[in-house]
Amino acid sequence: MSFWLFKTEPDTFSIDDLKNRGAHGEIWDGVRNYQARNMLRDLLRIDDRVFIYHSNCSVPGVAGIARVIETGVIDPTQFHPESKYFDPTSTPESPRWITVKVVYEKHLDAPATLASIKSHPELQDMQLVKRGNRLSILPVTDDQWKSILHLGNT
DNA sequence: GCCAACGTTGGC
DNA sequence: GCCAACGTTGGC
């Protein structure tokens, strides 16, 4: 089992929205970056655990945890002309955007804020805090996972 | 709103 | 292949 971090803007889709989907979970749609797509398509496995990270908000940070329940999911929004994620160059015969479905697992007791992550020496290697990082899907090491759990459960 | 740090697009 | 222009991300 591997660990990951997914970014989301809580104004658009928050961990509470994911919680409200219940056991049905939610397709992680809208990823339109090839590096991120490749991780979703090629590296994520069922039962992998995912930090849900709230970005572009007043207090950015890891809010909670989700679990991968389905892989190789064709992002349906690429075929929806009314969607902001519509991709007219993708075809049902050869879909370009593949993603996963996740289900809510739990909130951290308190969010592990970006500020607190930056203040912890053992987390300075996280891709999240690396200069210029903009990927919305990031790998997390076992040690980083444990450290952030600790940050969020004090 | 500002702006740095990207990724993408398209002319050449 | 080069590179300028443009769009996006996301912290602050």
Side-chain angles (χ1 to χ4, degrees):
Chain A
M1 183 184 63
S2 302
F3 298 117
W4 306 93
L5 181 147
F6 290 3
K7 294 180 188 172
T8 183
E9 300 189 12
D11 290 346
T12 305
F13 187 81
S14 73
I15 189 164
D16 296 301
D17 295 321
L18 180 61
K19 182 178 185 180
N20 288 335
R21 298 297 195 275
H24 293 295
E26 179 79 352
I27 293 173
W28 202 260
D29 62 19
V31 173
R32 293 294 180 271
N33 171 285
Y34 287 106
Q35 251 183 292
R37 190 276 317 263
N38 291 347
M39 283 191 273
L40 288 169
R41 185 190 61 187
D42 303 332
L43 299 179
L44 273 86
R45 297 287 179 265
I46 288 175
D47 281 341
D48 280 0
R49 296 307 202 277
V50 177
F51 280 140
I52 301 299
Y53 177 88
H54 285 167
S55 69
N56 229 341
C57 55
S58 57
V59 185
V62 174
I65 299 172
R67 187 176 77 252
V68 177
I69 57 171
E70 189 178 338
T71 59
V73 178
I74 296 168
D75 183 341
T77 61
Q78 66 194 303
F79 303 127
H80 295 165
E82 74 282 5
S83 170
K84 65 181 284 200
Y85 301 122
F86 178 55
D87 182 352
T89 66
S90 183
T91 65
E93 294 74 27
S94 180
R96 174 166 302 144
W97 304 109
I98 308 293
T99 185
V100 301
K101 184 185 271 191
V102 295
V103 69
Y104 171 82
E105 198 155 82
K106 62 178 182 177
H107 280 69
L108 300 187
D109 294 340
T113 65
L114 178 62
S116 68
I117 290 170
K118 283 181 171 175
S119 76
H120 279 255
E122 76 274 14
L123 290 171
Q124 297 319 294
D125 289 338
M126 281 195 79
Q127 292 199 30
L128 180 70
V129 298
K130 291 283 176 63
R131 187 181 67 106
N133 157 65
R134 296 185 346 185
L135 281 184
S136 62
I137 308 293
L138 295 170
V140 174
T141 69
D142 292 18
D143 286 343
Q144 291 162 357
W145 183 268
K146 285 180 202 159
S147 293
I148 287 183
L149 279 186
H150 185 68
L151 276 184
N153 290 293
T154 48

